[in-house]
Structure formats: C-alpha cells, structure tokens
Amino acid sequence: MTTTDDALAADIDACCRLTGEFTLRSGQVSTEYFDKYLFEADPLLLARVAREMVQLLPQDTELLAGLELGGVPIATAVSGILGTPALFVRKEPKTYGTAKQAEGPPFAGKRVTIIEDVITTGGAVRDAVAHLREGGAVVEVVCCAIDRSPEGENPLADVGLEVRPVLTKAQLDAARAATRG
C-alpha cells in the first residue's frame, strides 16, 4: 500500500463494500463485492485513489491504459495529475467508426502501464494485455485500486505482469475491523 493517505482504506471500504451474493466476472460467487463505481463517482475519493496510484507507476511509463469501464476514470485522473497520455481499452473492438479496441494515441513500441479498478483473477487484464502486446506495446505492470486476489498470490504472473495495488482486500478487511473496534 502507498503511505500518504492513511484513511483511504477505511473510506474506500465504507463507501463501496457491499454484502450479499454476487457473481464476479470470473464466475466465482462472493458474499462481498467492492462496487468501485461508488468511489469512482465521488470526485474527492477518486482523486485520493489517483494520487496514491501515481506513486505505484513505473517511472518509464509512456502511456496509461485504462480498462473498460472502471479503469477509465482512474486512468483519466492519473493522466491529469502526471500529464501522461491515456489510452482506453475496450473489452471488444467497437463495430463502427474506426473499429478500434484501444482508443487514444498509438501504442506500438511504447511502455504501457495498465490501470484497472479491481482485480480478482485478472481476466479482463489478461485480455487487454494480449491485445496491447499484439499491437507492439511493452506491458509489464498493472496498477489497480483494489487487489482482491488471495494474499501473496499474483493472479497475472502467468502473463508476466507485476500487480501493484493501491489497496488489497486484506488492508480493507483490517480497516473494517479497526472501525468496528
């Protein structure tokens, strides 16, 4: 975790942790769901996440690739802080106009850092990385707001990606436990 916003885990947890029964993108069923759109729609909370994420980016990043849909607002906020151009990666190429899957500046030969909201198994990231690498991008790191994967595991090691989270599920759990004291 980054170190400049000590209250961020508690605020994110209070804002976006839902309980119930939820089917995740991976098909897994969970009793908890982190509704990232709740913090992404809050400009002050989104700005805090973006400031923390800036600290995680590799220094040689040339483009930020926000993944549809939740990674786009975070990538835009980080881009605004740093002045680093952003690229927006769709789940599927659009079927009209330019028919692109990745919208924004050319990325061939560029060092691209993926920006994602929540990672559990990394399925959406895997798909986006395959597309970007096929187009000539150098992709080695994904920064995410929340890493839900089991502690100590890298769900994207199989595709050679380092995961750098702003917050982990363990940190959110600890923040929740501390507030319930």
Side-chain angles (χ1 to χ4, degrees):
M1 181 172 136
T2 55
T3 58
T4 59
D5 192 340
D6 295 333
L8 185 60
D11 293 345
I12 291 287
D13 187 77
C15 175
C16 71
R17 185 192 300 240
L18 307 177
T19 56
E21 187 171 304
F22 306 94
T23 302
L24 306 177
R25 180 188 188 278
S26 63
Q28 294 176 355
V29 176
S30 177
T31 58
E32 296 178 316
Y33 183 74
F34 292 95
D35 188 346
K36 65 272 184 176
Y37 300 115
L38 295 175
F39 83 76
E40 291 177 339
D42 178 326
L44 298 178
L45 203 46
L46 176 60
R48 289 169 61 195
V49 169
R51 282 193 300 271
E52 296 300 303
M53 192 170 285
V54 163
Q55 300 174 56
L56 302 174
L57 296 174
Q59 290 197 6
D60 59 356
T61 297
E62 296 175 277
L63 287 172
L64 304 168
L67 303 192
E68 179 187 352
L69 178 67
V72 169
I74 301 170
T76 302
V78 171
S79 175
I81 293 169
L82 293 176
T84 302
L87 183 61
F88 307 114
V89 184
R90 299 173 186 274
K91 293 176 179 135
E92 298 289 330
K94 65 182 182 179
T95 58
Y96 56 91
T98 60
K100 290 181 180 179
Q101 186 168 351
E103 300 284 355
F107 56 86
K110 301 283 186 182
R111 296 193 68 75
V112 178
T113 298
I114 301 288
I115 305 293
E116 181 60 310
D117 49 16
V118 178
I119 292 176
T120 302
T121 62
V125 173
R126 239 181 228 91
D127 295 344
V129 166
H131 172 72
L132 293 170
R133 286 178 175 166
E134 285 170 14
V138 177
V139 187
E140 298 172 339
V141 175
V142 56
C143 293
C144 63
I146 300 171
D147 181 359
R148 277 183 55 110
S149 64
E151 194 164 3
E153 289 184 24
N154 176 353
L156 294 161
D158 62 315
V159 291
L161 281 179
E162 177 186 352
V163 177
R164 296 183 183 182
V166 172
L167 297 165
T168 64
K169 184 172 182 310
Q171 290 166 319
L172 294 166
D173 289 346
R176 172 158 283 217
T179 60
R180 293 185 172 184

